[in-house]
Amino acid sequence: MKRISIAFLTACLWTATATALTRGDVNGDGEASVADITQVVNILGGERPGDDIMARADVNGDGEVSIADVTLLVSIIMDNDTPEPQPLTGYDYVWDPTVLPEIHLLVSRQEWNRLLAMYDANAYTRQYVAASQMTFVHDGERTVVDSIGLRLKGNTSRRRPEVNGHKQHVHFGLNLRKWVKDAAHEVQGVRKLHLKWFKDDPMYVREMYCYNLMRDYGVWTAPRDHYCRLWLQVQGDAKETYYGVYEMIEHVDDRYLKQRKDSTMFGSDKGNLWKCKYVNGMATLTNPDRADMWWDDNSDDRHTYELKTENASFDDARAQLVDFMLKLNGKGRDSFYKWIQQVCDVDLLLKTYAVNVAVGMWDDYWNNGNNFYLYFDSTDLYDYHFYLIPYDYDNTLGTSLQCGNQSDAGRQDPLNWGRDDIPLIKRILEFDDFRAKYVTYLKELVNPANGLLHVDASQARIRAWHELIAPYVANDTGQDMEIKDEPAPWGNHSEYRLLDNNNNFFIRKRESINRLSTP
């Protein structure tokens, strides 16, 4: 708990106000000196000063106060040549966890009315209108991008963005290079953003928590996300409409693939990316002869398996996915065991699913045939690695519903989470060594020493986020105006709480996981 608090405060201090501080000035007297070494030594001896001093005492920024900070302080005082923190660039700038960025959108009346008309004609429209301008504000620094694409997003959360002249919370998609494809039409290399309101999440935290947990646990396929504040003005309106706090999510597309390929995560970014969801049937990875497969042709048609990779051959990509499904379902036990390790990072997949089950994600592949991407890192019919990419985690952390095989997102047996007729995870867990790894990963997540899903670490993380956003939640729409510790009202377990330890989801989940036999 202490480690998370120190890490959060340190990041805020050194990133947001670095120019006003001297590196190593623990006691705040304006210089790094022997007195600061004494202060750190006292902390190591048990003294607990204020949070500001505790944050500055973490001199090396590793998230804890230790003897390493004393060593660095000595170096700073003797050499006085420690470089200043470098400004953030690229994706780290856009998804900087220490600031609450602003996004301001300007749309002409004609284009806004066109968006409303497209929704009225088809509530699931995916067509873009032209927004005149987007301004991205990071810690006071403004980046202005003219002429961008603006569209509606979401599935069951879709609704009209304006009713009787009153703006409503909706999900937006931004494509900064939809109309003009040059370097001026991006923010630090970011070209697309998904702006998501906190539908059915009165805590304003569920999806943020899940993606953050995945990244902390080494599930590097999780998209980046962070909070932002959103304004939208339709030309002719008296003022901007303040939409309040939104979630700002990395778009899973060719840029997502390139970001991870350049970091040596994916072997290649030139493979086939499929978005898989419950549309025209579940995305179960079975029955390829009847599966609804198509490519993203910029129409409003929706498909269970939709090829998202630009410039890919649909016929070749489809043949690869069909062959994958046939092998997934048709191989015998021994053949499957050998094959799955050839085409998949099984450890990464098991870690992904351990987090999935630990956070209570039931609207998933294994129960509902929904909410995942598949990426094949090669276009070769047989020679590839595939990756399951997670997304859409707002119905988690106690927002529970009877779906598939599970009926209680907190108490359900983690080894009996999904349906028997949805094969991928079920077949993998039939093997003792894979099942043992899965159980190990689940127990690592709830082990208090690891600071991951344990209730103390989780509550500290949530409180830090609430401290960041709480003053800005009230908004001009009049909707979702306060943070409440409760799940979505339509769930089947309304008792779950996150910050109250009575019927606490994290405690119930730890109990269900710790009932599993240790491998």
Side-chain angles (χ1 to χ4, degrees):
M1 186 172 182
K2 178 183 71 176
R3 181 180 183 278
I4 290 176
S5 176
I6 293 173
F8 181 80
L9 289 165
T10 300
C12 292
L13 279 165
W14 289 119
T15 303
T17 61
T19 56
L21 298 172
T22 299
R23 188 74 184 276
D25 178 17
V26 178
N27 61 15
D29 66 358
E31 63 178 359
S33 66
V34 173
D36 298 299
I37 296 177
T38 302
Q39 180 71 76
V40 177
V41 170
N42 289 341
I43 291 172
L44 294 176
E47 179 182 306
R48 287 295 175 267
D51 285 344
D52 56 341
I53 292 177
M54 287 294 291
R56 291 197 294 269
D58 180 19
V59 183
N60 62 11
D62 66 354
E64 59 185 356
V65 178
S66 69
I67 194 65
D69 298 299
V70 177
T71 303
L72 181 55
L73 259 174
V74 172
S75 175
I76 291 171
I77 294 167
M78 293 182 65
D79 300 333
N80 197 29
D81 61 356
T82 301
E84 288 295 320
Q86 296 299 306
L88 295 176
T89 59
Y91 279 44
D92 291 337
Y93 176 93
V94 175
W95 283 282
D96 178 358
T98 69
V99 301
L100 185 57
E102 300 178 7
I103 294 178
H104 299 258
L105 300 173
L106 179 64
V107 188
S108 71
R109 175 64 61 184
Q110 179 180 359
E111 288 298 288
W112 182 254
N113 287 341
R114 193 161 73 88
L115 183 68
L116 297 178
M118 288 191 300
Y119 174 88
D120 292 341
N122 178 6
Y124 292 98
T125 179
R126 300 191 297 180
Q127 302 308 304
Y128 284 94
V129 300
S132 306
Q133 191 176 87
M134 183 203 77
T135 302
F136 184 88
V137 185
H138 174 278
D139 198 24
E141 182 177 22
R142 302 170 70 86
T143 302
V144 179
V145 182
D146 294 326
S147 186
I148 71 165
L150 173 69
R151 55 161 287 197
L152 302 175
K153 288 184 69 69
N155 188 18
T156 58
S157 57
R158 288 279 186 133
R159 61 181 180 181
R160 200 174 196 269
E162 182 177 309
V163 177
N164 297 326
H166 188 76
K167 305 292 193 305
Q168 295 201 105
H169 279 157
V170 292
H171 305 318
F172 290 112
L174 306 183
N175 185 343
L176 308 188
R177 291 166 62 100
K178 177 64 178 178
W179 315 115
V180 184
K181 303 185 187 304
D182 61 21
H185 285 78
E186 57 187 41
V187 178
Q188 293 283 333
V190 175
R191 300 175 178 180
K192 293 181 181 179
L193 286 172
H194 179 187
L195 304 180
K196 190 170 182 179
W197 65 290
F198 288 87
K199 179 185 183 293
D200 297 327
D201 182 12
M203 277 293 277
Y204 273 77
V205 79
R206 285 178 164 83
E207 191 163 51
M208 276 280 297
Y209 178 97
C210 295
Y211 285 149
N212 182 270
L213 179 64
M214 286 182 183
R215 292 190 295 269
D216 282 352
Y217 195 50
V219 181
W220 50 264
T221 48
R224 297 189 188 219
D225 74 324
H226 188 46
Y227 296 105
C228 69
R229 299 175 69 194
L230 177 64
W231 286 261
L232 185 146
Q233 184 169 16
V234 178
Q235 289 176 332
D237 287 352
K239 65 181 184 67
E240 292 180 297
T241 297
Y242 176 53
Y243 280 72
V245 175
Y246 263 55
E247 184 184 6
M248 179 177 64
I249 309 173
E250 177 185 12
H251 194 68
V252 179
D253 61 0
D254 57 335
R255 297 292 290 181
Y256 162 95
L257 298 175
K258 187 177 188 306
Q259 279 283 316
R260 285 152 181 80
K261 182 261 183 184
D262 288 349
S263 301
T264 68
M265 295 173 180
F266 289 130
S268 167
D269 62 344
K270 305 302 182 185
N272 295 317
L273 177 67
W274 294 87
K275 186 173 185 179
C276 310
K277 54 189 176 181
Y278 193 155
V279 175
N280 305 323
M282 293 190 293
T284 59
L285 301 177
T286 59
N287 301 319
D289 56 328
R290 299 195 300 273
D292 174 30
M293 302 178 187
W294 197 237
W295 58 287
D296 187 352
D297 58 3
N298 295 316
S299 74
D300 288 339
D301 294 336
R302 301 188 300 153
H303 303 278
T304 310
Y305 305 95
E306 186 170 86
L307 181 66
K308 307 297 288 189
T309 317
E310 296 181 7
N311 302 320
S313 165
F314 172 73
D315 289 340
D316 291 346
R318 183 185 185 282
Q320 183 186 61
L321 181 57
V322 167
D323 183 74
F324 169 78
M325 289 185 183
L326 291 172
K327 289 174 178 173
L328 170 62
N329 293 276
K331 280 185 171 290
R333 178 181 173 85
D334 292 343
S335 179
F336 176 85
Y337 182 78
K338 180 179 179 180
W339 171 76
I340 197 66
Q341 293 177 87
Q342 292 172 340
V343 300
C344 176
D345 182 342
V346 178
D347 282 351
L348 176 62
L349 181 58
L350 289 173
K351 275 194 166 187
T352 302
Y353 239 90
V355 175
N356 220 55
V357 172
V359 299
M361 170 55 161
W362 50 267
D363 191 14
D364 63 341
Y365 162 69
W366 199 6
N367 270 301
N368 207 24
N370 197 22
N371 290 329
F372 65 101
Y373 286 81
L374 272 186
Y375 177 57
F376 296 86
D377 69 356
S378 165
T379 58
D380 188 278
L381 183 59
Y382 307 116
D383 185 13
Y384 56 76
H385 274 77
F386 82 88
Y387 299 85
L388 187 146
I389 299 170
Y391 85 101
D392 203 359
Y393 278 74
D394 44 5
N395 293 335
T396 54
L397 302 186
T399 290
S400 176
L401 194 69
Q402 170 69 51
C403 181
N405 195 49
Q406 72 82 46
S407 60
D408 184 334
R411 301 175 181 89
Q412 182 77 23
D413 176 6
L415 285 171
N416 191 30
W417 182 259
R419 295 164 52 121
D420 288 341
D421 57 346
I422 298 182
L424 178 58
I425 309 301
K426 177 183 180 296
R427 293 208 68 182
I428 288 174
L429 293 182
E430 288 173 352
F431 298 93
D432 291 344
D433 52 343
F434 294 154
R435 187 166 59 254
K437 285 184 178 181
Y438 172 68
V439 172
T440 295
Y441 295 151
L442 285 166
K443 295 200 170 188
E444 286 179 353
L445 287 166
V446 298
N447 185 335
N450 295 328
L452 295 167
L453 193 100
H454 187 267
V455 60
D456 291 341
S458 297
Q459 290 179 345
R461 197 176 307 132
I462 290 169
R463 288 191 175 100
W465 284 326
H466 283 174
E467 182 179 350
L468 181 68
I469 68 170
Y472 309 107
V473 165
N475 62 86
D476 294 340
T477 73
Q479 301 162 345
D480 317 299
M481 296 285 281
E482 59 181 322
I483 296 172
K484 298 178 183 178
D485 189 1
E486 57 189 40
W490 44 259
N492 66 344
H493 283 276
S494 60
E495 74 274 13
Y496 279 128
R497 298 293 182 266
L498 300 183
L499 295 181
D500 186 339
N501 283 354
N502 183 33
N503 286 317
N504 183 276
F505 173 81
F506 300 113
I507 294 174
R508 297 289 88 78
K509 179 58 73 171
R510 185 185 182 203
E511 291 170 350
S512 69
I513 289 173
N514 283 339
R515 282 194 290 269
L516 300 173
S517 299
T518 302

